[in-house]
């Protein structure tokens, strides 16, 4: 159909994504919006609990998160790895150690995401499973604020590897080599099972699943991975 031709698609695309995905999705929108200039995008970024609420209220077309809803029937498509890593100040005494036991982390002052965060949930679960209690020094409602707090020496934290996307070689943060980390997480693109996607939403959905991974890996992800690599020897 003529309306399906490239560049002729017109309309609104509403996306809701968890805060870890804000390091990737806006970047993917670049090539997409160039290809479809008639599509206007509204992207809201918030924590896991909030994205679930907006799903329950049917406020958006597509949702991206790492932990699936338990009580809403959704169509689920895995999108990209979202590993959770332990971050510390670059000169932290543990930075040189290998295979740090989880128990050792429990002794460090810890900076935690706010209640409602999926990252927080995953971290809490990992420590609960081992019967360990975290020494939470500070609750912060933002990945960026946590990175600043780590750099300021307030403690260590666990965040998505993607939060390091724009950290250069002079980053003040480093990834600790802790047993059982990274926590292997995945982002999923989801929408309610009963919902018929609009042509616009379907177009973005196909773009994400067919090309999004490549675009993401070719840009932000590469920097992230070279940063995360351990020194030789
Ligand atoms: P969040 O992101 O911590 O901002 O809720 C969660 C996730 O990636 O599941």
């Amino acid at each position: 159909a003529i309306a399906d031709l490239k560049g002729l698609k017109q309309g609104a695309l509403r996306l809701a994504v968890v805060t870890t995905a804000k390091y990737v999705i806006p970047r993917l929108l670049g090539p997409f919006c160039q290809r479809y200039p008639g599509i206007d995008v509204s992207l809201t970024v918030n924590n896991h609990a909030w994205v679930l609420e907006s799903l329950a209220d049917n406020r958006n077309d597509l949702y991206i998160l790492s932990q699936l809803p338990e009580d809403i029937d959704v169509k689920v498509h895995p999108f990209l790895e979202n590993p959770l890593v332990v971050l510390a100040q670059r000169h932290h005494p543990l930075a040189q150690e290998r295979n740090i036991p989880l128990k050792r982390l429990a002794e460090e002052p810890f900076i935690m995401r706010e209640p409602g965060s999926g990252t927080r949930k995953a971290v809490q679960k990992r420590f609960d499973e081992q019967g360990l209690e975290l020494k939470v020094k500070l609750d912060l409602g933002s990945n960026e604020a946590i990175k600043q707090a780590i750099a300021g020496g307030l403690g260590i934290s666990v965040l998505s590897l993607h939060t390091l996307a724009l950290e250069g070689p002079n980053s003040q943060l480093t990834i600790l080599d802790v047993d059982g980390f990274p926590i292997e997480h995945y982002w999923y693109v989801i929408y309610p099972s009963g919902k018929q996607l609009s042509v616009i939403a379907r177009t973005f959905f196909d773009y994400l699943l067919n090309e999004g991974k490549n675009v993401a890996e070719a840009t932000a992800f590469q920097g992230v991975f070279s940063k995360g690599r351990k020194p030789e020897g």
Side-chain angles (χ1 to χ4, degrees):
I2 271 200
D4 278 354
L5 289 176
K6 275 185 187 174
L8 292 182
K9 284 184 181 162
Q10 300 261 337
L13 172 66
R14 284 160 312 171
L15 307 172
V17 310
V18 287
T19 70
T20 51
K22 79 175 167 205
Y23 297 91
V24 167
I25 300 302
R27 198 179 281 263
L28 297 184
L29 285 170
F32 181 77
C33 291
Q34 250 159 21
R35 194 180 306 169
Y36 302 105
I39 298 182
D40 297 321
V41 184
S42 142
L43 169 70
T44 39
V45 179
N46 212 318
N47 69 21
H48 174 79
W50 184 92
V51 171
L52 284 188
E53 262 174 49
S54 82
L55 169 76
D57 292 348
N58 193 23
R59 290 202 290 260
N60 294 277
D61 298 310
L62 297 169
Y63 307 81
I64 297 178
L65 38 62
S66 313
Q67 295 174 46
L68 297 173
E70 279 158 20
D71 48 355
I72 303 175
D73 201 13
V74 287
K75 290 248 173 28
V76 176
H77 297 264
F79 169 51
L80 202 67
E81 292 97 352
N82 176 31
L84 302 182
V85 295
V86 184
L87 295 180
Q89 196 183 32
R90 188 177 179 160
H91 301 296
H92 194 282
L94 290 177
Q96 301 308 322
E97 294 193 19
R98 296 290 165 259
N99 308 315
I100 302 162
L102 196 63
K103 227 174 114 191
R104 176 69 187 80
L105 279 199
E107 296 165 17
E108 293 290 316
F110 198 89
I111 309 163
M112 189 65 122
R113 281 284 306 278
E114 78 287 358
S117 151
T119 304
R120 176 190 176 109
K121 223 170 120 181
V123 173
Q124 196 66 61
K125 181 164 170 258
R126 174 57 57 93
F127 280 82
D128 286 351
E129 282 166 358
Q130 305 291 322
L132 293 169
E133 209 162 312
L134 277 166
K135 285 207 315 202
V136 179
K137 168 127 189 132
L138 188 63
D139 249 34
L140 280 182
S142 134
N143 299 318
E144 289 304 309
I146 289 182
K147 283 163 59 183
Q148 293 296 328
I150 296 169
L154 280 171
I156 60 168
S157 189
V158 173
L159 293 177
S160 164
L161 179 61
H162 292 277
T163 64
L164 299 181
L166 295 181
E167 295 285 322
N170 296 325
S171 172
Q172 296 178 45
L173 308 178
T174 191
I175 299 173
L176 297 185
D177 183 1
V178 178
D179 284 345
F181 279 85
I183 298 177
E184 302 292 349
H185 259 203
Y186 233 82
W187 282 315
Y188 303 96
V189 188
I190 70 171
Y191 58 93
S193 289
K195 185 163 168 168
Q196 172 100 34
L197 290 185
S198 70
V199 174
I200 304 289
R202 168 64 58 188
T203 304
F204 185 67
F205 181 82
D206 290 342
Y207 167 78
L208 268 189
L209 297 188
N210 296 332
E211 300 167 61
K213 198 176 154 80
N214 289 341
V215 177
E217 280 173 355
T219 55
F221 227 65
Q222 210 152 59
V224 159
F225 270 139
S226 53
K227 169 81 176 72
R229 215 160 273 149
K230 307 259 178 291
E232 309 283 311

